[in-house]
Amino acid sequence: QVQLVESGGGLVQAGASLRLSCVASEPSLYTYTMGWFRQAPGKEREVVAHISQLSNLIYYTDSVKGRFTISRDNAKNTVYLQMNNLKPEDTAVYFCAARPKFASTFTSWGQGTQVTVSS
């Protein structure tokens, strides 16, 4: 299990930007696919984006394409989610997660950081 700690959430107005960070305890973070998920009140958790070990494969859910950017700095054991042009529907708790190499699921999760976007 990798310990993950998210930060960077907050309350912003629509159109603003936030950058979420996720710091991992695992020094070999480069062996993990990393992802950002979110869960809004009353809704199921959904994937926002994920990035492969060497950043060569990146996925975004359709609703954030062109607005969010996932990146990672393996030397710093950190993954980022740059969120631009935020919308009220982006309001959710955002979670960082790690998927070991050859695994089919994300097995380590952070505690989450709240993002609230007002209209």
Side-chain angles (χ1 to χ4, degrees):
Q1 288 277 342
V2 179
Q3 291 190 346
L4 303 170
V5 179
E6 304 98 332
S7 62
L11 170 63
V12 297
Q13 290 187 333
S17 298
L18 283 174
R19 187 175 83 154
L20 305 183
S21 299
C22 171
V23 180
S25 62
E26 177 61 54
S28 59
L29 187 67
Y30 62 91
T31 65
Y32 293 81
T33 291
M34 299 300 297
W36 286 97
F37 293 73
R38 66 186 179 186
Q39 187 167 19
K43 294 186 177 181
E44 293 188 354
R45 185 173 59 194
E46 64 170 348
V47 61
V48 176
H50 53 74
I51 184 168
S52 60
Q53 290 90 334
L54 298 180
S55 304
N56 55 320
L57 295 174
I58 293 176
Y59 166 86
Y60 296 101
T61 193
D62 286 345
S63 61
V64 308
K65 285 181 181 177
R67 300 188 298 121
F68 290 12
T69 301
I70 188 171
S71 62
R72 64 191 297 165
D73 185 338
N74 290 334
K76 295 182 178 180
N77 299 323
T78 303
V79 180
Y80 305 97
L81 185 68
Q82 177 67 44
M83 306 185 294
N84 298 329
N85 189 22
L86 282 161
K87 302 176 180 182
E89 52 263 41
D90 295 318
T91 295
V93 178
Y94 284 71
F95 299 90
C96 174
R99 187 178 75 200
K101 195 173 182 180
F102 305 126
S104 59
T105 60
F106 288 83
T107 57
S108 298
W109 295 84
Q111 83 288 349
T113 185
Q114 176 71 46
V115 172
T116 304
V117 185
S118 63
S119 58

